[in-house]
Amino acid sequence: MTDKKEPKDWRLATKLVRGGLNRSEFGETSEALYLTSGFAYEEAETAASRFAGEEDGYTYTRLSNPTITMFEERMALLDNMPIAKATATGMAAVNAALMSQLHAGDRVVASKALFGSCRYIVDEILPQFGINVELVTGADNDAWAQALSTPAKAVFVETPANPTLDVVDLQYVCDLAHDAGATVVVDNVFATPILQRPADFGADVVVYSGTKHIDGQGRVMGGCVLCSEEFFEDHLNQFMRHTGPIISPFNAWVLLKGLETLDLRVEKMCANAAKIADFLADTGALTRVLYPGRPDHPQHKLAMKQMSAGGSIITMDVPGGREEAFKVVNALDIIDISNNLGDAKSLITHPASTTHRSLGEEARLELGITEATLRLSVGLEDADDLIEDLEQALGRRSS
Ligand SMILES: *Cc1c(COP(=O)(O)O)cnc(C)c1O
């Protein structure tokens, strides 16, 4: 008889389908949805010992819930990290990962190229609490070396970044950060746990928006923070319990079902995106096409060292400005105008007027987000239909 394999030794696809599965007495095949806020106890002593932490068991869904636990265990397995805590949104995950560990007077170094709301936390919220933030160009290793020659408490990066697809050298930055005494938090939304596992390069904390590829069908909001036992006990656990950013059990259940097909969807999206990026680069109708999977991406080699494929997002500039960009977007028949991403449906957005509006023009231009920039999230439709849609929209613009 062979030894029974531990879930952590399963291959990725098996983890996605079976990780964290905890069947009830009924033996349901699909994960059970425990849509309950509270739990009843046989005896007052049971409640007392659970509250005292002397006995395992559920007490209140703000702290934990069996459906949420299944989602968290599955997420932890995917990233090879000990602890996962699910949150109501991706932003709640980013906020918890940072605010739970920071104190007045701490120093944070972050990459400039971040999702708009992540930049708001770093630019506006952290300084309100007396936390000093230094922003660096994520792709510039010398800038990281300079910034991390001074001790810091935390480093926060997003790679590839939204929407410019800048890549941060994770191994390099994690090594420097650890020497500077900092905990590295990586927003891994664009890459997903299928393409990139930041812990392999030294990241201490990984955050996700479950709203994006993990749901992947545009239904629910959710997020997740992954970390070590130590970070959980020292920082995250009490912060999560008492400030209440927990995910709804229903949303956790939807995300569990999303994870079952995450690998298949991400693979198809990447294949579609690679084909569409080649088409866009070859048309000559655009002034810039950015896709980490293409050799003309400024950090293609690094992207391919860290990620197993180029991802599902393409960023492009049309000739002209906002008016021309809006014309292209408005001429699309299949691709929807929407600021979400990672969805089965292909979605396009104009970052300067939507996701990155609050940054202001100066900060946007510094990141390379112009009035002519569009971000395309490639979905699961047939790539040739998407190419034909883009072709007619770009053609209509110029006619
Ligand atoms: C969408 C997104 C978030 C925030 O996730 P929500 O679920 O919308 O709160 C954070 N980081 C990145 C890179 C994102 O794309």
Side-chain angles (χ1 to χ4, degrees):
M1 211 179 84
T2 53
D3 286 342
K4 195 173 155 195
K5 249 191 181 177
E6 294 286 324
K8 70 173 176 45
D9 298 322
W10 290 340
R11 292 169 183 86
L12 184 70
T14 310
K15 289 178 177 175
L16 284 163
V17 175
R18 293 184 174 270
L21 181 61
N22 184 7
R23 290 192 167 127
S24 79
E25 69 201 271
F26 301 114
E28 64 282 347
T29 45
S30 175
E31 295 73 6
L33 169 53
Y34 294 93
L35 204 51
T36 181
S37 45
F39 299 84
Y41 315 97
E42 287 290 330
E43 296 169 320
E45 286 80 358
T46 311
S49 57
R50 286 192 195 167
F51 271 78
E54 291 157 1
E55 181 189 306
D56 284 343
Y58 293 96
T59 55
Y60 192 52
T61 286
R62 169 152 49 72
L63 314 186
S64 59
N65 167 289
T67 306
I68 298 173
T69 303
M70 285 191 265
F71 172 63
E72 291 170 341
E73 290 187 0
R74 193 167 294 180
M75 286 298 296
L77 280 175
L78 297 181
D79 264 276
N80 299 323
M81 291 186 86
I83 302 282
K85 278 312 284 180
T87 52
T89 64
M91 285 321 304
V94 171
N95 187 57
L98 293 172
M99 290 300 272
S100 67
Q101 61 167 319
L102 295 171
H103 300 82
D106 282 346
R107 181 167 177 268
V108 172
V109 182
S111 50
K112 273 181 205 159
L114 299 173
F115 177 60
S117 295
C118 295
R119 268 295 290 268
Y120 187 86
I121 289 184
V122 163
D123 288 345
E124 307 291 336
I125 296 179
L126 297 185
Q128 280 175 29
F129 294 89
I131 296 155
N132 304 304
V133 178
E134 182 175 342
L135 293 176
V136 301
T137 300
D140 183 350
N141 279 358
D142 293 341
W144 283 108
Q146 175 67 32
L148 290 170
S149 61
T150 309
K153 185 73 182 297
V155 163
F156 179 48
V157 303
E158 184 179 305
T159 181
N162 182 0
T164 50
L165 305 173
D166 285 350
V167 179
V168 174
D169 188 335
L170 286 173
Q171 184 83 60
Y172 181 80
V173 172
C174 288
D175 288 350
L176 280 174
H178 293 154
D179 289 345
T183 300
V184 181
V185 180
V186 177
D187 180 331
N188 201 36
V189 169
F190 268 42
T192 80
I194 303 302
L195 304 183
Q196 172 173 277
R197 281 175 282 281
D200 292 351
F201 303 99
D204 305 290
V205 180
V206 177
V207 291
Y208 287 105
S209 165
T211 319
K212 309 294 167 59
H213 306 75
I214 294 173
D215 172 20
Q217 288 151 88
R219 299 165 296 190
V220 300
M221 304 295 297
C224 197
V225 184
L226 296 119
C227 62
S228 65
E229 303 257 6
E230 195 187 358
F231 185 89
F232 182 67
E233 285 311 326
D234 291 350
H235 307 294
L236 192 63
N237 188 15
Q238 298 304 326
F239 184 91
M240 287 286 303
R241 290 167 74 97
H242 303 298
T243 63
I246 193 91
I247 193 171
S248 142
F250 178 78
N251 290 4
W253 180 83
V254 173
L255 296 183
L256 266 167
K257 304 315 285 179
L259 283 175
E260 292 183 350
T261 56
L262 181 65
D263 53 344
L264 304 175
R265 288 184 287 108
V266 169
E267 276 166 31
K268 172 83 190 290
M269 284 175 177
C270 289
N272 278 355
K275 192 168 179 186
I276 292 166
D278 287 345
F279 159 76
L280 291 171
D282 293 344
T283 57
L286 296 158
T287 52
R288 184 171 69 152
V289 176
L290 292 167
Y291 182 64
R294 277 180 57 85
D296 60 2
H297 183 281
Q299 295 163 287
H300 172 68
K301 265 177 112 172
L302 176 62
M304 292 302 100
K305 182 186 140 199
Q306 295 179 172
M307 294 161 65
S308 55
S312 60
I313 314 286
I314 304 167
T315 297
M316 65 193 100
D317 277 18
V318 304
R322 178 178 293 210
E323 198 185 326
E324 288 75 15
F326 277 19
K327 266 189 195 158
V328 171
V329 163
N330 290 339
L332 290 163
D333 289 326
I334 295 176
I335 299 168
D336 289 310
I337 307 168
S338 176
N339 45 277
N340 199 3
L341 61 92
D343 199 281
K345 293 180 173 62
S346 293
L347 308 174
I348 198 161
T349 194
H350 179 254
S353 59
T354 60
T355 54
H356 291 69
R357 186 183 176 281
S358 67
L359 264 189
E361 193 181 7
E362 195 184 333
R364 280 197 301 271
L365 289 177
E366 206 185 344
L367 295 179
I369 305 168
T370 73
E371 288 293 328
T373 304
L374 296 173
R375 184 194 75 193
L376 173 64
S377 169
V378 177
L380 298 175
E381 303 93 338
D382 190 301
D384 291 332
D385 285 329
L386 299 173
I387 286 172
E388 283 169 23
D389 196 24
L390 287 159
E391 192 168 30
Q392 64 79 21
L394 289 166
R396 226 192 279 183
R397 179 201 55 77
S398 58
S399 63

